[in-house]
Amino acid sequence: MTLERWRQITEWPLIVASVLFLVTYSIQVIVDPRGELGALLEDLLWVSWGTFLIDYIVSLVLAPRRWHWFLTHLFNLATVVLPMLRPLRVLRVVTLLAVLQRTAGRAVRGQIVIYVTGATLLVVYVASLAVLDAERAGGGTISTFPDAIWWAFTTITTVGYGDLSPVTPEGRMIAVGLMLSGIALLGVVSATFASWIVEQVSAENTSRQAATVAHVDALRAEIAELRTVLARTDPGPRAADSAAPTAPTTATAPTAAKTDGSDPRASKN
């Protein structure tokens, strides 16, 4: 078993656990149920958290360079070691984005609007739940879910009206993370858009070069055909010389003398 193989196997279980965590935590924060329903929701949160814990331990064991993997996944460690910090624990749902990014690949980059919209809404929603949970328990000014949504949107867009602000340590920590997410989101959008433009320009240049090569090949074929036609119609000076008629030679046969040496004039006399 390799780390890459483990990631492929746990891909969908992690998605299911992330969605389960998000739905359960949403009901727990917004509705704030008591009694048996509240206990059931708490158990579901622990089940989903246990899934993340198992994934972290197995990934650490299968990693070729364990210390390097450990140092580069400190956030995952925090989400599994500090389960009592519920606002921090809810940020583990960002695993859903990581899994989707790994499965979607470059196809997501072509759909910039869908990617940016989905990532922004998910981050805003998760931050709203987390800050509402922290501020309501600590007696802060953000005590309703609409106020939490409003605060999250003004924070991630770096507007910051200041009418609502977290006062608890957990709430301020969430605010810092949301501010950094807004800056990072802007960088991701710019980089994705620039990469998409470069790919489009490169594809267009490639098509133009292919068309140019095809034209050159066509011209070469036409030139070769013209040479063949010219060679057939005009065979050249050597062929003309060889085809010219030869002048006939005439030989005058000498008058044969009679073998007896007699003169015909003498015979007449």
Side-chain angles (χ1 to χ4, degrees):
M1 177 67 69
T2 61
L3 181 59
E4 185 64 25
R5 178 59 180 169
W6 172 256
R7 288 179 178 178
Q8 295 177 358
I9 295 175
T10 59
E11 190 171 290
W12 281 105
L14 284 179
I15 293 178
V16 174
S18 300
V19 173
L20 176 64
F21 191 100
L22 181 60
V23 173
T24 304
Y25 191 75
S26 300
I27 298 174
Q28 195 175 52
V29 173
I30 299 174
V31 180
D32 194 15
R34 304 294 179 178
E36 295 182 357
L37 180 58
L40 176 62
L41 294 176
E42 189 67 23
D43 292 339
L44 290 177
L45 284 178
W46 280 104
V47 169
S48 59
W49 174 81
T51 305
F52 301 141
L53 177 61
I54 294 174
D55 175 66
Y56 179 84
I57 294 175
V58 175
S59 299
L60 180 60
V61 173
L62 295 178
R65 300 168 56 188
R66 294 181 182 178
W67 279 109
H68 180 267
W69 191 93
F70 174 80
L71 294 176
T72 55
H73 293 77
L74 294 179
F75 179 76
N76 293 356
L77 175 64
T79 58
V80 297
V81 172
L82 305 174
M84 301 308 296
L85 281 178
R86 292 168 61 187
L88 177 62
R89 188 174 58 173
V90 76
L91 295 181
R92 189 61 178 89
V93 79
V94 178
T95 303
L96 178 62
L97 281 181
V99 174
L100 290 177
Q101 176 68 19
R102 188 168 65 241
T103 55
R106 57 179 298 175
V108 179
R109 292 190 299 171
Q111 303 174 358
I112 301 177
V113 177
I114 297 177
Y115 175 76
V116 173
T117 303
T120 304
L121 292 178
L122 182 59
V123 171
V124 168
Y125 182 75
V126 170
S128 302
L129 291 176
V131 75
L132 177 60
D133 191 12
E135 292 296 299
R136 188 168 56 189
T141 58
I142 304 175
S143 57
T144 62
F145 187 66
D147 289 342
I149 289 288
W150 169 253
W151 169 83
F153 269 110
T154 57
T155 302
I156 198 172
T157 56
T158 66
V159 174
Y161 286 111
D163 53 345
L164 296 172
S165 59
V167 296
T168 61
E170 295 85 356
R172 290 179 177 178
M173 181 178 60
I174 297 167
V176 172
L178 190 59
M179 295 172 191
L180 296 178
S181 299
I183 298 174
L185 184 62
L186 180 61
V188 169
V189 172
S190 302
T192 305
F193 187 69
S195 176
W196 180 77
I197 292 178
V198 170
E199 288 182 357
Q200 296 298 320
V201 173
S202 177
E204 184 177 356
N205 291 337
T206 302
S207 62
R208 289 182 178 178
Q209 292 177 0
T212 303
V213 171
H215 291 164
V216 172
D217 293 340
L219 289 175
R220 289 177 177 175
E222 291 181 0
I223 292 174
E225 185 177 357
L226 289 175
R227 287 178 176 176
T228 303
V229 173
L230 291 176
R232 292 176 180 176
T233 56
D234 188 9
R238 290 185 178 180
D241 294 341
S242 60
T246 305
T249 56
T250 57
T252 305
T255 305
K258 291 185 177 182
T259 57
D260 53 356
S262 61
D263 190 357
R265 292 178 293 179
S267 59
K268 290 182 179 181
N269 296 326

